[in-house]
């Protein structure tokens, strides 16, 4: 009896401390919607598209709907909703949701009845205090990927994560949380994949079977259970669905895809010009130089240190003549100082965040004690835009939004600080994770309005949907081997989570890399979307010439390759702007159900677009094991063929990073330029790799700086490879900068001629190399033997009309 009484009391305690959603009591069915009242909550399901169903659950009656992330509205799609005594079903052309009434529970199925995802029965959705959590049954062998900027393995199974944007200087390679929040993940099992986006900006937690073998879960410290469930047969379709909700990137300025030379900090102006001149003298292609906080007067935003930068407009004009654009850092803190224009004006315009008693919040950062604009209000964003005019007038082209987690010394901003939240007044607890997103919004909209041209925006913090406004980099990493590889996984995860324009500090921000690590990181950087070299204060110089002549030549080789690949890379960015597909891609996207992709030996491999397979390794390794997924793969440097579905140990050296090209690939390239301000020669080199499967790319050009492309000012053509090569008729009102096309055929060993629109053209045999052999620095050493690809070539006139090449 004593034991029975104890168990009863424990049950009563559990019932008091955890409130379950309960049974469905009433149902109201509308067009594409189901509204329910349960024992302890209100629940709505809405069909957003054939592939997306939204779930909202709260203990309070559901009212107005507001999101910083979701910009899409529910589409008018066919949805059949049926109800009986025990269940409610919602069926679209792509999936079915089944709601069990007693107790409330949701399961999602394919249209032919395969289980995709289901609530864990007995737990479903519940509250512990204000914290709300949904529990999902873990399917046998289920994997989880995504969740944005999260350390750890590609496969998140067995791990748990917290979303709370944090300033984490010199973070560990396994640390969580980091700087940004993207509460979206993809589940994979039994040949199926699905996505769940949990749109709640309070601190949230995701558990993928950590410390339990029963469920995966996601929840938040407060607010609604508000998630979007999406299904598509391929993972690319899941990413497409997610970015249809949260938006896609605008085309970036072309210059931002070039090499960027950064440091904390370059000053005075003569040093900035010296760096630019040295890059040109040493024939290192580059397009950007970044100024860190030391350009300011006492670290005060919107100011210039007149001793270090007496005439920033003149300096920027000189740099522009050399083909360089300047990006400046800007933090959200406005120093509390009488006579400081931004402070005085911000107080006057009443744009700073406050405590409940009306006193302005003050936190300490680089300038000292600061106030912070409320970027969650239209008034605060508009104020920020007006302050940016000084940057524009001084010739600034890029805006680096840093410290926007919000970071303050002590890293404990009070929870009772108030934010407007665009007419939905709330506290820091709910506004914290979106603050960085809305700062980038203000920066993007301000720069676009003031210049009419595409700005480059970079951020450290953000929330789901950040891709609409900004690129993101992975913050204050370390100059260590494991950080280089952790950075690869971070960028791959961001790509899986809808963010295409990503980068990390090449060479590491804190500490000093070894010669080998720097060389390897620079090679890797040529294949990631934002190619930024950066190092911290009180570290050694980290320009390409700072590590000796051999490393200089290695770095130059890969930066040169980057610039020759810009037509391919720019086209990949166009794809991202249309479908959300990342530029840098985890192998999980195209080879989702291949278990080897998730093996920790191979999880750092990635693709640049669809064509390139890059296999990064620590610089300390002499050999590395590579997994080749399905297909046939060409060694980039030699055209040596490798069958797919195999693992291979390859020798590693300082001078090259392993890179392979998939058979069937079409890769547009150009002649080498030193800056994107320079026009390449008027021949487009179209590399075609013989393969067993058909392939299609969309080749894309525009002016690289304006928004004319939004009104037809682009040149676009679909290029297909199967048993022939077809360049479809060009679309758009922009003239290609290439008057000629040179076909470069890889793997077509016995081919002697092709037919171009029916006319026979003989092929020329040739040898090409993608890298220049490194100099013979040691007279007693051996000669470097250049890698050569033996190819066949043909030159044709570029026409906007359809071009068919028959092999």
């Amino acid at each position: 009896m004593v034991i029975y009484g104890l168990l009863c009391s424990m049950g009563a305690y559990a019932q008091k401390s955890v409130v379950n959603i309960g049974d469905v009591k009433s149902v109201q069915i509308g067009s594409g919607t189901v509204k329910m009242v349960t024992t302890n909550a209100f629940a709505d399901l809405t069909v957003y598209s054939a592939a997306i169903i939204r779930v909202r659950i709260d203990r309070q009656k559901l009212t107005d709907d507001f999101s910083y992330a979701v910009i899409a509205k529910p589409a008018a799609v066919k949805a059949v909703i049926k109800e009986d005594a025990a269940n409610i079903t919602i069926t679209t052309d792509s999936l079915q949701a089944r709601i069990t009434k007693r107790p409330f529970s949701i399961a999602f199925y394919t249209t032919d009845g395969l289980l995709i995802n289901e609530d864990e029965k007995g737990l479903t959705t519940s509250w512990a205090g204000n914290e709300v959590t949904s529990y999902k049954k873990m399917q046998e062998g289920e994997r989880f990927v995504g969740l944005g900027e999260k350390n750890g393995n590609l496969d998140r199974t067995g791990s748990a994560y917290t979303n709370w944007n944090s300033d984490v200087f010199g973070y560990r390679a396994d640390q969580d949380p980091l700087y940004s929040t993207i509460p979206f993940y993809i589940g994979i099992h039994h040949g199926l994949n699905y996505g769940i986006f949990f749109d709640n900006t309070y601190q949230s937690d995701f558990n993928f079977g950590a410390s339990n073998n029963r469920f995966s879960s996601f929840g938040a410290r407060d607010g609604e259970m508000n998630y979007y469930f999406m299904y598509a047969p391929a993972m690319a379709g899941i990413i497409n669905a997610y970015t249809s909700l949260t938006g896609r990137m605008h085309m970036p300025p072309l210059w931002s895809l070039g090499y960027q030379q950064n440091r904390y900090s370059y000053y005075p102006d003569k040093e900035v010009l010296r760096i630019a001149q040295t890059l040109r003298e040493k024939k290192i292609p580059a397009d950007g130089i970044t100024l860190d906080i030391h350009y300011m007067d006492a670290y005060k935003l919107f100011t210039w240190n007149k001793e270090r930068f007496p005439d920033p407009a003149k300096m920027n004009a000189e740099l522009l003549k050399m083909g360089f654009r300047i990006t400046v850092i800007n933090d959200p803190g406005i120093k509390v100082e009488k006579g400081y224009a931004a402070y005085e004006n911000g107080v006057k315009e009443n744009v700073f965040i406050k405590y409940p008693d009306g006193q302005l919040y003050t936190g300490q950062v680089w300038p000292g004690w600061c106030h912070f604009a409320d970027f969650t209000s239209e008034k605060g964003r508009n104020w920020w835009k007006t302050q940016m005019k000084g940057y524009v007038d001084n010739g600034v082209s890029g805006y680096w939004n840093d410290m926007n987690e919000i970071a303050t010394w002590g890293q404990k901003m009070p929870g009772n600080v108030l934010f407007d939240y665009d007419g939905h007044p709330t506290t820091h607890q709910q506004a914290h994770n979106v603050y960085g997103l809305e700062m980038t919004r203000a920066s993007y909209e301000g720069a676009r309005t003031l210049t009419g041209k595409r700005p480059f925006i970079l951020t450290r913090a953000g929330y789901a949907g950040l891709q609409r406004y900004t690129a993101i980099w992975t913050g204050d990493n370390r100059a260590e081997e494991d950080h280089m590889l952790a950075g690869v996984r971070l960028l791959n995860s961001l790509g899986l989570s809808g963010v295409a324009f990503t980068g990390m500090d090449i060479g590491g921000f804190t500490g000093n890399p070894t010669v080998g690590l720097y060389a390897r990181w620079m090679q890797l950087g040529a294949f990631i979307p934002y190619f930024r070299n950066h190092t911290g204060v009180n570290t050694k110089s980290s320009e390409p010439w700072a590590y000796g002549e051999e490393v200089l030549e290695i770095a130059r080789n890969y930066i040169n390759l980057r610039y020759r690949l810009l037509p391919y890379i720019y086209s990949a960015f166009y794809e991202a702007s249309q479908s959300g597909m990342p530029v840098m891609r985890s192998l999980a996207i195209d080879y989702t159900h291949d278990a080897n992709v998730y093996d920790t030996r191979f999880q750092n491999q990635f693709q640049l677009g669809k064509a390139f397979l890059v296999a990064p390794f620590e610089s300390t390794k002499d050999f590395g094991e590579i997994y080749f997924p399905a297909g046939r793969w060409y060694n980039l440097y030699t055209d040596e063929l490798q069958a797919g579905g195999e693992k291979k140990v390859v020798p590693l050296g300082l001078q090259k990073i392993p890179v392979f090209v998939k058979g069937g690939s079409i890769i547009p390239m150009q002649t080498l330029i030193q800056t994107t301000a320079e026009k390449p020669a008027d021949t487009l080199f179209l590399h075609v790799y013989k393969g067993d499967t058909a392939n299609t790319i969309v080749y894309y050009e525009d002016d690289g700086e304006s928004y004319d492309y939004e009104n037809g000012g682009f040149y676009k053509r679909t290029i297909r490879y199967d048993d022939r090569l077809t360049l479809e008729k060009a679309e758009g009102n922009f003239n290609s900068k290439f008057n000629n096309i040179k076909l470069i055929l890889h793997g077509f060993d016995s081919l002697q001629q092709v037919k171009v629109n029916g006319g026979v053209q003989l092929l020329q045999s040739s040898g090409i190399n993608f890298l220049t052999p490194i100099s013979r620095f040691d007279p007693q050493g051996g000669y470097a033997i250049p890698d050569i690809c033996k190819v066949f070539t043909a030159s044709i006139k570029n026409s906007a009309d359809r071009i068919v090449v028959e092999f």
Side-chain angles (χ1 to χ4, degrees):
M1 292 297 293
V2 173
I3 294 174
Y4 175 76
L6 177 61
L7 290 172
C8 288
S9 66
M10 288 174 66
Y13 174 78
Q15 290 173 358
K16 288 178 182 178
S17 60
V18 176
V19 177
N20 196 276
I21 189 172
D23 298 338
V24 175
K25 297 297 186 181
S26 67
V27 178
Q28 180 182 342
I29 296 174
S31 177
T33 64
V34 177
K35 297 180 182 293
M36 292 158 284
V37 179
T38 72
T39 308
N40 297 309
F42 300 85
D44 287 3
L45 270 71
T46 303
V47 177
Y48 246 70
S49 73
I52 303 173
I53 293 178
R54 181 187 185 188
V55 178
R56 292 180 71 192
I57 302 170
D58 202 358
R59 284 184 290 182
Q60 304 173 49
K61 194 168 183 179
L62 296 164
T63 55
D64 66 325
D65 184 25
F66 177 74
S67 172
Y68 280 113
V70 175
I71 60 173
K73 300 297 181 185
V77 296
K78 179 184 177 183
V80 178
I81 303 176
K82 296 180 179 178
E83 180 187 9
D84 59 30
N87 303 287
I88 306 161
T89 62
I90 305 172
T91 306
T92 74
D93 291 341
S94 297
L95 78 159
Q96 182 181 88
R98 300 180 192 173
I99 306 154
T100 303
K101 291 183 177 180
R102 297 180 184 83
F104 174 95
S105 180
I106 308 175
F108 296 94
Y109 294 83
T110 65
T111 52
D112 54 356
L114 296 175
L115 177 64
I116 308 169
N117 175 268
E118 63 179 329
D119 285 351
E120 173 63 22
K121 293 179 176 60
L123 299 179
T124 62
T125 297
S126 61
W127 290 263
N130 288 335
E131 184 173 326
V132 60
T133 304
S134 279
Y135 298 88
K136 299 291 184 179
K137 180 179 175 60
M138 282 214 300
Q139 305 300 316
E140 181 184 2
E142 188 163 11
R143 303 181 189 278
F144 304 91
V145 299
L147 216 61
E149 189 186 43
K150 293 295 180 187
N151 273 316
N153 292 324
L154 168 63
D155 183 357
R156 309 257 182 231
T157 306
S159 299
Y161 302 89
T162 295
N163 287 315
W164 185 253
N165 294 356
S166 302
D167 176 9
V168 282
F169 172 80
Y171 57 88
R172 301 185 316 275
D174 63 351
Q175 191 165 333
D176 183 70
L178 298 182
Y179 303 94
S180 66
T181 291
I182 305 178
F184 166 69
Y185 71 89
I186 298 171
I188 304 157
H189 66 88
H190 298 98
L192 301 170
N193 34 240
Y194 66 89
I196 289 180
F197 170 45
F198 177 41
D199 190 13
N200 181 313
T201 65
Y202 285 94
Q203 181 172 322
S204 57
D205 294 277
F206 286 70
N207 184 319
F208 299 114
S211 303
N212 87 90
N213 62 357
R214 183 179 177 185
F215 59 78
S216 62
S217 66
F218 51 92
R221 301 297 172 90
D222 207 332
E224 289 183 12
M225 173 50 58
N226 172 29
Y227 70 91
Y228 296 78
F229 183 89
M230 53 205 79
Y231 168 74
M235 188 180 288
I238 301 294
I239 297 171
N240 183 287
Y242 169 72
T243 55
S244 74
L245 284 175
T246 60
R248 299 178 180 126
M249 67 179 299
H250 299 278
M251 284 301 292
L254 178 60
W255 70 265
S256 67
L257 307 188
Y259 175 64
Q260 313 288 317
Q261 187 63 57
N262 301 356
R263 181 175 178 84
Y264 173 30
S265 291
Y266 286 132
Y267 65 86
D269 53 357
K270 290 182 177 59
E271 173 68 0
V272 177
L273 292 166
R274 183 189 71 83
I275 293 293
Q277 188 62 45
T278 306
L279 286 162
R280 292 289 177 255
E281 288 173 353
K282 294 185 179 295
K283 296 293 183 184
I284 302 168
D287 269 83
I289 295 176
T290 300
L291 302 184
D292 214 308
I293 59 174
H294 294 101
Y295 78 89
M296 299 181 229
D297 175 18
Y299 310 125
K300 290 181 291 186
L301 202 61
F302 309 118
T303 68
W304 293 83
N305 183 309
K306 290 302 182 181
E307 290 185 6
R308 295 169 177 168
F309 296 92
D311 193 343
K314 180 182 177 184
M315 177 192 71
N316 287 334
E318 289 182 45
L319 289 167
L320 192 61
K321 289 177 184 176
M322 299 167 64
F324 286 98
R325 305 279 186 149
I326 281 289
T327 296
V328 297
I329 197 169
N330 40 71
D331 302 341
I334 302 296
K335 186 177 183 180
V336 177
E337 179 180 282
K338 293 288 186 182
Y340 168 34
Y343 165 74
E344 298 279 7
N345 187 255
V347 171
K348 178 184 175 184
E349 297 297 327
N350 191 27
V351 298
F352 297 131
I353 53 178
K354 301 175 181 178
Y355 288 105
D357 63 2
Q359 184 171 321
L360 298 179
Y361 167 70
T362 309
Q364 198 171 16
V365 278
W366 302 116
W369 291 103
C370 294
H371 296 326
F372 298 83
D374 186 355
F375 292 112
T376 73
S377 73
E378 186 175 5
K379 186 176 183 180
R381 292 191 296 271
N382 287 338
W383 175 82
W384 182 263
K385 296 172 191 176
T386 64
Q387 299 300 306
M388 291 177 66
K389 188 174 185 302
Y391 286 139
V392 172
D393 291 345
N394 279 299
V396 169
S397 300
Y399 305 86
W400 170 15
N401 292 179
D402 195 24
M403 304 289 285
N404 53 349
E405 289 76 26
I406 303 170
T408 55
W409 305 157
Q411 307 301 337
K412 199 68 177 176
M413 184 174 171
N416 63 344
V417 177
L418 302 180
F419 292 76
D420 180 71
Y421 214 76
D422 279 276
H424 306 76
T426 191
T427 67
H428 175 236
Q429 304 290 349
Q430 188 176 19
H432 177 90
N433 282 337
V434 297
Y435 188 81
L437 170 70
E438 292 305 286
M439 181 182 182
T440 67
R441 175 184 175 183
S443 295
Y444 172 80
E445 292 175 350
R448 177 169 180 168
T449 300
L450 288 165
T451 68
K453 294 183 179 180
R454 306 177 209 173
F456 170 64
I457 309 295
L458 179 67
T459 191
R460 193 169 74 175
Y463 183 70
L466 67 91
Q467 65 272 8
R468 301 195 301 266
Y469 310 117
T470 183
I472 189 170
W473 102 107
T474 59
D476 300 338
N477 62 357
R478 301 181 187 180
E480 298 168 8
E481 303 279 351
D482 62 343
H483 261 268
M484 176 178 67
L485 297 182
V488 170
R489 295 193 298 277
L490 287 171
L491 301 190
N492 282 342
S493 184
L494 282 161
L496 286 163
S497 309
V499 185
F501 202 176
T502 59
M504 57 176 155
D505 284 348
I506 301 298
F509 180 69
T510 71
N512 299 296
T514 64
V515 169
L517 176 57
Y518 181 86
R520 177 72 76 237
W521 221 328
M522 287 294 288
Q523 293 164 342
L524 172 62
F527 299 96
I528 67 176
Y530 176 45
F531 192 2
R532 157 181 162 137
N533 178 309
H534 190 44
T535 190
V537 72
N538 293 323
T539 60
K540 296 178 181 177
S541 294
S542 204
E543 296 78 34
W545 54 85
Y547 292 83
E549 290 299 316
E550 183 179 11
V551 172
L552 171 60
E553 291 194 14
I554 292 169
R556 185 193 291 123
N557 251 341
Y558 280 88
I559 297 172
N560 285 350
L561 179 59
R562 166 76 170 216
Y563 274 74
R564 291 163 65 191
L565 280 170
L566 279 176
Y568 173 81
I569 294 171
Y570 199 62
S571 296
F573 270 88
Y574 174 73
E575 183 182 7
S577 75
Q578 299 301 297
S579 69
M581 277 293 286
V583 175
M584 179 178 176
R585 302 175 183 178
S586 165
L587 298 188
I589 294 177
D590 284 345
Y591 308 96
T592 309
H593 306 291
D594 183 340
N596 288 298
V597 164
Y598 306 95
D599 190 313
T600 54
R601 292 174 296 171
F602 311 121
Q603 65 179 351
N604 299 317
Q605 295 177 197
F606 66 92
Q607 290 178 272
L608 176 65
K610 291 190 292 186
F612 292 95
L613 172 66
V614 183
F617 292 96
E618 299 93 329
S619 67
T620 52
K621 287 191 174 180
D622 295 322
F623 294 90
E625 189 174 17
I626 298 173
Y627 174 65
F628 296 88
R632 56 192 294 187
W633 298 89
Y634 292 79
N635 183 305
L636 173 66
Y637 312 111
T638 65
D639 272 357
E640 179 184 353
L641 262 176
Q642 168 66 47
E646 295 182 1
K647 305 178 184 74
K648 185 176 182 180
V649 175
V650 301
L652 302 171
L654 179 68
Q655 297 179 1
K656 287 184 294 187
I657 186 172
V659 182
F660 302 86
V661 181
K662 188 173 184 180
S665 292
I666 305 159
I667 302 174
M669 296 180 67
Q670 66 185 21
T671 55
L672 179 61
I673 53 177
Q674 294 300 302
T675 164
T676 59
E678 177 187 337
K679 286 191 71 172
D682 70 351
T683 296
L684 179 71
F685 300 94
L686 206 58
H687 293 259
V688 181
Y689 288 78
K690 188 175 183 181
D692 301 324
T693 55
N695 184 36
T696 300
I697 70 163
V698 175
Y699 172 73
Y700 180 84
E701 292 180 49
D702 58 29
D703 64 20
E705 65 175 11
S706 78
Y707 288 94
D708 289 351
Y709 73 90
E710 294 180 344
N711 298 303
F714 57 82
Y715 175 92
K716 178 176 73 171
R717 71 191 313 165
T718 300
I719 306 177
R720 294 187 174 88
Y721 167 84
D722 37 41
D723 57 347
R724 63 179 66 186
L725 184 72
T726 305
L727 289 74
E728 298 293 354
K729 186 175 180 179
E731 303 174 48
N733 303 322
F734 187 79
N735 293 324
S736 174
K737 55 177 162 284
F738 301 107
N739 295 318
N740 302 289
I741 296 173
K742 186 170 185 177
L743 293 178
I744 302 177
L745 305 178
H746 300 252
F748 293 82
D749 296 336
S750 59
L751 202 61
Q752 294 181 335
Q753 64 183 34
V754 294
K755 287 185 179 179
V756 180
N757 287 345
V760 174
Q761 186 165 337
L762 296 177
L763 295 173
Q764 303 296 314
S765 177
S766 181
I768 64 166
N769 57 312
F770 288 104
L771 301 179
T772 301
I774 302 301
S775 298
R776 186 186 177 210
F777 294 106
D778 182 358
Q780 295 182 328
Y783 286 94
I785 300 173
D787 290 322
I788 298 292
C789 298
K790 294 181 179 179
V791 298
F792 292 99
T793 67
S795 296
I796 60 178
K797 193 71 177 173
N798 190 11
S799 164
D801 296 326
R802 191 169 188 257
I803 302 172
V804 178
V805 181
E806 297 176 81
F807 303 124

